[in-house]
CSV table of all heavy atoms in Angstrom, one decimal:
chain,number,residue,atom,x,y,z
A,16,ALA,N,7.3,1.3,0.6
A,16,ALA,CA,7.1,1.0,-0.7
A,16,ALA,C,7.8,2.0,-1.6
A,16,ALA,O,7.9,3.2,-1.2
A,16,ALA,CB,5.6,1.0,-1.2
A,17,TRP,N,8.4,1.6,-2.7
A,17,TRP,CA,8.9,2.5,-3.6
A,17,TRP,C,7.9,2.6,-4.6
A,17,TRP,O,7.4,1.6,-5.1
A,17,TRP,CB,10.3,2.0,-4.3
A,17,TRP,CG,10.8,3.0,-5.3
A,17,TRP,CD1,10.5,2.8,-6.7
A,17,TRP,CD2,11.5,4.1,-5.1
A,17,TRP,NE1,11.0,3.9,-7.3
A,17,TRP,CE2,11.7,4.7,-6.4
A,17,TRP,CE3,12.0,4.8,-4.0
A,17,TRP,CZ2,12.2,6.0,-6.5
A,17,TRP,CZ3,12.6,6.0,-4.2
A,17,TRP,CH2,12.7,6.5,-5.4
A,18,VAL,N,7.5,3.8,-5.0
A,18,VAL,CA,6.4,4.1,-5.9
A,18,VAL,C,6.9,5.0,-7.1
A,18,VAL,O,7.8,5.9,-6.9
A,18,VAL,CB,5.2,5.0,-5.1
A,18,VAL,CG1,4.1,5.2,-6.1
A,18,VAL,CG2,4.8,4.2,-3.9
A,19,SER,N,6.4,4.7,-8.3
A,19,SER,CA,6.7,5.4,-9.4
A,19,SER,C,5.4,5.6,-10.2
A,19,SER,O,4.5,4.8,-10.1
A,19,SER,CB,7.8,4.7,-10.3
A,19,SER,OG,8.2,5.5,-11.4
A,20,GLY,N,5.4,6.7,-11.0
A,20,GLY,CA,4.2,6.9,-11.9
A,20,GLY,C,4.4,6.5,-13.3
A,20,GLY,O,5.5,6.6,-13.8
A,21,ILE,N,3.4,6.0,-13.9
A,21,ILE,CA,3.5,5.5,-15.3
A,21,ILE,C,2.2,6.0,-15.9
A,21,ILE,O,1.2,6.4,-15.3
A,21,ILE,CB,3.6,3.9,-15.5
A,21,ILE,CG1,2.4,3.3,-14.9
A,21,ILE,CG2,4.9,3.6,-14.9
A,21,ILE,CD1,2.3,1.8,-15.4
A,22,GLU,N,2.1,5.9,-17.3
A,22,GLU,CA,0.9,6.2,-18.0
A,22,GLU,C,0.6,5.1,-19.0
A,22,GLU,O,1.5,4.6,-19.6
A,22,GLU,CB,1.1,7.6,-18.8
A,22,GLU,CG,-0.3,7.9,-19.5
A,22,GLU,CD,-0.2,9.3,-20.1
A,22,GLU,OE1,0.3,10.3,-19.4
A,22,GLU,OE2,-0.6,9.5,-21.2
A,23,LYS,N,-0.7,4.6,-18.9
A,23,LYS,CA,-1.1,3.5,-19.9
A,23,LYS,C,-2.4,3.9,-20.4
A,23,LYS,O,-3.4,4.2,-19.8
A,23,LYS,CB,-1.2,2.2,-19.0
A,23,LYS,CG,-1.6,1.0,-19.9
A,23,LYS,CD,-1.5,-0.3,-19.2
A,23,LYS,CE,-2.1,-1.4,-19.8
A,23,LYS,NZ,-2.0,-1.6,-21.2
A,25,GLY,N,-3.2,6.7,-21.7
A,25,GLY,CA,-3.7,7.9,-21.3
A,25,GLY,C,-4.1,8.0,-19.9
A,25,GLY,O,-4.6,9.1,-19.5
A,26,VAL,N,-3.9,7.0,-19.1
A,26,VAL,CA,-4.4,7.0,-17.8
A,26,VAL,C,-3.2,6.9,-16.8
A,26,VAL,O,-2.3,6.1,-17.0
A,26,VAL,CB,-5.3,5.7,-17.4
A,26,VAL,CG1,-5.6,5.7,-15.9
A,26,VAL,CG2,-6.5,5.7,-18.3
A,27,ALA,N,-3.1,7.8,-15.8
A,27,ALA,CA,-1.9,8.0,-14.9
A,27,ALA,C,-2.2,6.7,-13.9
A,27,ALA,O,-3.2,6.7,-13.4
A,27,ALA,CB,-2.0,9.2,-14.3
A,28,LEU,N,-1.2,6.0,-13.8
A,28,LEU,CA,-1.2,4.9,-12.7
A,28,LEU,C,0.1,5.0,-11.8
A,28,LEU,O,1.1,5.6,-12.3
A,28,LEU,CB,-1.2,3.5,-13.4
A,28,LEU,CG,-2.4,3.2,-14.3
A,28,LEU,CD1,-2.1,1.9,-15.1
A,28,LEU,CD2,-3.6,3.0,-13.4
A,29,TYR,N,0.0,4.5,-10.7
A,29,TYR,CA,1.1,4.6,-9.7
A,29,TYR,C,1.5,3.2,-9.3
A,29,TYR,O,0.5,2.3,-8.7
A,29,TYR,CB,0.8,5.5,-8.5
A,29,TYR,CG,0.3,6.7,-9.1
A,29,TYR,CD1,-1.0,7.1,-9.5
A,29,TYR,CD2,1.3,7.7,-9.4
A,29,TYR,CE1,-1.3,8.3,-10.0
A,29,TYR,CE2,1.0,8.9,-10.0
A,29,TYR,CZ,-0.4,9.3,-10.3
A,29,TYR,OH,-0.7,10.4,-11.0
A,30,VAL,N,2.8,2.7,-9.6
A,30,VAL,CA,3.1,1.4,-9.3
A,30,VAL,C,4.1,1.4,-8.2
A,30,VAL,O,4.9,2.4,-8.0
A,30,VAL,CB,3.7,0.7,-10.6
A,30,VAL,CG1,2.7,0.6,-11.8
A,30,VAL,CG2,5.0,1.5,-11.0
A,31,GLY,N,4.1,0.3,-7.4
A,31,GLY,CA,5.0,0.2,-6.3
A,31,GLY,C,5.4,-1.2,-5.9
A,31,GLY,O,4.8,-2.1,-6.4
A,32,VAL,N,6.4,-1.3,-5.3
A,32,VAL,CA,6.9,-2.5,-4.6
A,32,VAL,C,6.9,-2.3,-3.2
A,32,VAL,O,7.7,-1.4,-2.7
A,32,VAL,CB,8.3,-2.9,-5.2
A,32,VAL,CG1,8.8,-4.2,-4.5
A,32,VAL,CG2,8.3,-3.1,-6.7
A,49,PHE,N,2.2,-3.5,-6.5
A,49,PHE,CA,0.7,-3.0,-6.6
A,49,PHE,C,0.7,-1.9,-7.6
A,49,PHE,O,1.7,-1.3,-8.0
A,49,PHE,CB,0.3,-2.5,-5.2
A,49,PHE,CG,1.1,-1.4,-4.7
A,49,PHE,CD1,0.8,0.0,-5.0
A,49,PHE,CD2,2.2,-1.6,-3.8
A,49,PHE,CE1,1.5,0.9,-4.4
A,49,PHE,CE2,3.0,-0.6,-3.3
A,49,PHE,CZ,2.6,0.7,-3.6
A,50,VAL,N,-0.6,-1.7,-8.2
A,50,VAL,CA,-0.8,-0.7,-9.0
A,50,VAL,C,-2.1,0.0,-8.6
A,50,VAL,O,-3.0,-0.6,-8.3
A,50,VAL,CB,-1.0,-1.2,-10.5
A,50,VAL,CG1,-1.3,0.0,-11.4
A,50,VAL,CG2,0.2,-2.0,-11.0
A,51,VAL,N,-2.0,1.4,-8.5
A,51,VAL,CA,-3.1,2.2,-8.0
A,51,VAL,C,-3.4,3.3,-8.9
A,51,VAL,O,-2.5,3.9,-9.5
A,51,VAL,CB,-2.7,2.8,-6.6
A,51,VAL,CG1,-3.8,3.6,-6.0
A,51,VAL,CG2,-2.3,1.8,-5.5
A,52,THR,N,-4.7,3.6,-9.1
A,52,THR,CA,-5.1,4.7,-9.9
A,52,THR,C,-5.0,6.0,-9.0
A,52,THR,O,-4.7,6.0,-7.8
A,52,THR,CB,-6.6,4.6,-10.3
A,52,THR,OG1,-7.5,4.7,-9.2
A,52,THR,CG2,-6.9,3.3,-11.1
A,53,GLY,N,-5.0,7.1,-9.7
A,53,GLY,CA,-5.0,8.4,-9.1
A,53,GLY,C,-6.1,8.6,-8.0
A,53,GLY,O,-5.9,9.4,-7.1
A,89,ALA,N,-3.3,7.2,-0.3
A,89,ALA,CA,-3.4,7.3,-1.7
A,89,ALA,C,-2.9,8.6,-2.2
A,89,ALA,O,-2.1,8.6,-3.2
A,89,ALA,CB,-4.9,7.2,-2.2
A,91,ARG,N,-0.3,10.1,-0.8
A,91,ARG,CA,1.1,10.0,-0.7
A,91,ARG,C,1.7,9.1,-1.8
A,91,ARG,O,2.8,9.5,-2.3
A,91,ARG,CB,1.4,9.5,0.7
A,91,ARG,CG,1.2,10.3,1.8
A,91,ARG,CD,1.4,9.7,3.2
A,91,ARG,NE,2.8,9.4,3.3
A,91,ARG,CZ,3.2,8.2,4.0
A,91,ARG,NH1,2.3,7.6,4.8
A,91,ARG,NH2,4.5,7.9,4.1
A,92,ILE,N,1.0,8.1,-2.2
A,92,ILE,CA,1.4,7.3,-3.4
A,92,ILE,C,1.5,8.1,-4.7
A,92,ILE,O,2.4,8.1,-5.3
A,92,ILE,CB,0.5,6.0,-3.4
A,92,ILE,CG1,0.7,5.1,-2.3
A,92,ILE,CG2,0.7,5.4,-4.8
A,92,ILE,CD1,-0.2,3.8,-2.2
A,93,VAL,N,0.3,8.8,-4.8
A,93,VAL,CA,0.2,9.7,-6.0
A,93,VAL,C,1.4,10.8,-6.0
A,93,VAL,O,2.0,10.9,-7.0
A,93,VAL,CB,-1.1,10.3,-6.2
A,93,VAL,CG1,-1.2,11.5,-7.2
A,93,VAL,CG2,-2.2,9.4,-6.4
A,94,ALA,N,1.5,11.4,-5.0
A,94,ALA,CA,2.5,12.5,-4.8
A,94,ALA,C,3.9,12.0,-5.1
A,94,ALA,O,4.7,12.5,-5.9
A,94,ALA,CB,2.6,13.2,-3.4
A,95,ALA,N,4.3,10.8,-4.5
A,95,ALA,CA,5.6,10.2,-4.9
A,95,ALA,C,5.7,9.8,-6.3
A,95,ALA,O,6.8,10.0,-6.9
A,95,ALA,CB,5.8,8.8,-3.9
A,96,GLY,N,4.6,9.3,-6.9
A,96,GLY,CA,4.8,9.0,-8.4
A,96,GLY,C,4.9,10.1,-9.2
A,96,GLY,O,5.6,10.2,-10.2
A,97,GLU,N,4.2,11.3,-8.8
A,97,GLU,CA,4.2,12.5,-9.6
A,97,GLU,C,5.6,13.2,-9.5
A,97,GLU,O,6.0,14.0,-10.4
A,97,GLU,CB,3.1,13.5,-9.3
A,97,GLU,CG,1.8,12.9,-9.7
A,97,GLU,CD,0.6,13.7,-9.5
A,97,GLU,OE1,0.8,14.7,-8.6
A,97,GLU,OE2,-0.5,13.5,-10.0
A,98,ARG,N,6.3,12.9,-8.4
A,98,ARG,CA,7.7,13.4,-8.3
A,98,ARG,C,8.8,12.7,-9.0
A,98,ARG,O,9.9,13.0,-9.1
A,98,ARG,CB,8.1,13.4,-6.7
A,98,ARG,CG,7.4,14.4,-5.9
A,98,ARG,CD,8.2,14.5,-4.5
A,98,ARG,NE,8.3,13.2,-3.8
A,98,ARG,CZ,7.3,12.7,-3.1
A,98,ARG,NH1,6.2,13.4,-2.8
A,98,ARG,NH2,7.6,11.5,-2.5
A,99,GLY,N,8.3,11.6,-9.8
A,99,GLY,CA,9.2,10.9,-10.5
A,99,GLY,C,9.6,9.6,-9.8
A,99,GLY,O,10.5,8.9,-10.3
A,100,GLY,N,9.0,9.4,-8.6
A,100,GLY,CA,9.4,8.2,-7.9
A,100,GLY,C,9.7,8.6,-6.4
A,100,GLY,O,10.3,9.7,-6.3
A,101,GLY,N,9.4,7.8,-5.5
A,101,GLY,CA,9.7,8.1,-4.2
A,101,GLY,C,9.4,7.0,-3.1
A,101,GLY,O,8.7,6.0,-3.5
A,102,TRP,N,9.9,7.1,-2.1
A,102,TRP,CA,9.7,6.1,-0.9
A,102,TRP,C,8.7,6.6,0.0
A,102,TRP,O,8.6,7.8,0.4
A,102,TRP,CB,11.1,6.1,-0.1
A,102,TRP,CG,10.9,5.2,1.1
A,102,TRP,CD1,10.9,5.7,2.3
A,102,TRP,CD2,10.9,3.8,1.2
A,102,TRP,NE1,10.8,4.6,3.2
A,102,TRP,CE2,10.8,3.5,2.5
A,102,TRP,CE3,11.0,2.8,0.2
A,102,TRP,CZ2,10.8,2.2,3.0
A,102,TRP,CZ3,10.9,1.5,0.6
A,102,TRP,CH2,10.8,1.2,1.9
A,103,ILE,N,7.8,5.8,0.4
A,103,ILE,CA,6.9,6.1,1.4
A,103,ILE,C,6.9,4.9,2.6
A,103,ILE,O,7.3,3.8,2.2
A,103,ILE,CB,5.3,6.2,1.0
A,103,ILE,CG1,4.9,4.8,0.2
A,103,ILE,CG2,5.3,7.3,-0.1
A,103,ILE,CD1,3.5,4.8,0.0
Side-chain angles (χ1 to χ4, degrees):
W17 178 262
V18 178
S19 187
I21 64 167
E22 187 172 310
K23 182 173 175 25
V26 176
L28 297 171
Y29 304 90
V30 299
V32 176
F49 60 88
V50 180
V51 179
T52 67
R91 292 177 55 215
I92 288 171
V93 169
E97 289 179 345
R98 285 191 308 269
W102 173 260
I103 63 169

